[in-house]
Amino acid sequence: MNPRSWLRSFHAAPDPACRPVQLVCFPHAGGSASYFVPLSARLSGVAEVLAVQYPGRQDRWYEPAIDDLGELAEHVVRALAPARNGGPLALFGHSMGALVAYEAARQVAPARLYVSGCPAPSQGVGATKAVKGDAALLADVRRLGGTDAALLSDPAMLEVILPALRADYHAVRSYEWRAGSEPSCPVRVLTGNRDAGTPPHVMRDWKKHTTGECRFHEYEGGHFYLSEHTRRVADLLAGDLPVADLARPVN
């Protein structure tokens, strides 16, 4: 697969000569890079936002979806190498994307790791393990929200999106955390206070997965609280991301 196909940029980045922080965003199961367009717009003056486009969706719909989180992380890590600008790197993952971001962080040592709407890796993914078969999968997607109901009722669209959904749910269901080196960067844990899949005790265990500082941020809403609180999350990131290196322009 072409490494360039993995990353999307939706808005002009700050002056690249200042080595702005690069924020790489990993979408949820069934999600695509475009989910982060609103967040990218809010942060365009602060960071270079790169959103991951997994195969099997949107402009990559014709490519086979990948059903292994570790393999997804490896592809993104390889795609990042030529995209780096020499500035700080931060990773943001929502739901399934939090696990992919975490596995990538174990390899690339980012300056920040933001994980959203996802239990800690060592907690497992019990709720997803019970989702088997297309009917249960679609019921779970409807329960979580975040996906246009019209898409889930259109047989032609389901034919397009179901392969990626199946692969993503299999990837989460089969994920097994393996002990090893943990990210040394600060970790920020974000969640909706009405997300039944991420009760406080499973989120608190994220502190076991960094040797750095861990902070927790709760927002009003369910699993897709981010859609309702893009501005507040963007404000959090803008105040927490490493500052662009204005003193050392690229030669």
Side-chain angles (χ1 to χ4, degrees):
M1 295 183 181
N2 183 353
R4 294 184 178 180
S5 65
W6 284 84
L7 301 172
R8 300 286 179 275
S9 177
F10 300 110
H11 299 91
D15 184 356
C18 297
R19 294 190 179 97
V21 58
Q22 291 179 298
L23 178 67
V24 183
C25 298
F26 298 72
H28 52 280
S32 59
S34 62
Y35 179 70
F36 292 107
V37 168
L39 189 63
S40 173
R42 290 276 182 182
L43 292 172
S44 60
V46 176
E48 179 184 358
V49 178
L50 301 172
V52 174
Q53 187 76 297
Y54 307 131
R57 60 216 77 199
Q58 289 190 331
D59 57 328
R60 301 186 70 187
W61 67 267
Y62 55 89
E63 299 179 51
I66 294 173
D67 63 0
D68 181 275
L69 297 187
E71 185 178 346
L72 283 172
E74 290 172 3
H75 278 289
V76 176
V77 168
R78 285 198 291 270
L80 272 174
R84 294 299 308 279
N85 65 8
L89 176 69
L91 309 182
F92 183 109
H94 179 66
S95 195
M96 178 189 87
L99 293 175
V100 185
Y102 163 75
E103 289 295 340
R106 299 177 91 175
Q107 301 179 53
V108 299
R112 295 285 189 280
L113 172 61
Y114 300 93
V115 292
S116 167
C118 182
S122 54
Q123 279 286 332
V125 286
T128 307
K129 288 184 181 295
V131 178
K132 297 181 179 179
D134 289 350
L137 186 158
L138 291 172
D140 194 59
V141 171
R142 292 187 180 97
R143 175 185 64 82
L144 293 172
T147 302
D148 188 344
L151 294 179
L152 301 177
S153 302
D154 184 332
M157 288 305 304
L158 281 178
E159 188 175 346
V160 175
I161 66 177
L162 264 174
L165 275 171
R166 292 186 192 112
D168 289 353
Y169 269 68
H170 179 272
V172 176
R173 188 165 60 241
S174 60
Y175 174 76
E176 293 184 5
W177 174 74
R178 290 177 173 81
S181 61
E182 297 287 3
S184 60
C185 63
V187 172
R188 309 296 184 237
V189 183
L190 293 73
T191 188
N193 63 1
R194 290 185 279 104
D195 185 350
T198 57
H201 71 281
V202 302
M203 300 301 283
R204 291 289 170 185
D205 274 1
W206 272 104
K207 67 181 181 291
K208 300 177 180 178
H209 296 285
T210 177
T211 59
E213 170 194 36
C214 191
R215 295 180 185 175
F216 300 86
H217 303 271
E218 189 173 286
Y219 298 87
E220 176 65 31
H223 191 63
F224 286 97
Y225 74 89
L226 180 59
S227 300
E228 305 165 43
H229 298 292
T230 302
R231 180 186 60 78
R232 289 184 60 197
V233 172
D235 288 346
L236 168 69
L237 296 175
D240 187 67
L241 285 166
V243 177
D245 190 354
L246 299 178
R248 292 187 297 164
V250 177
N251 291 329

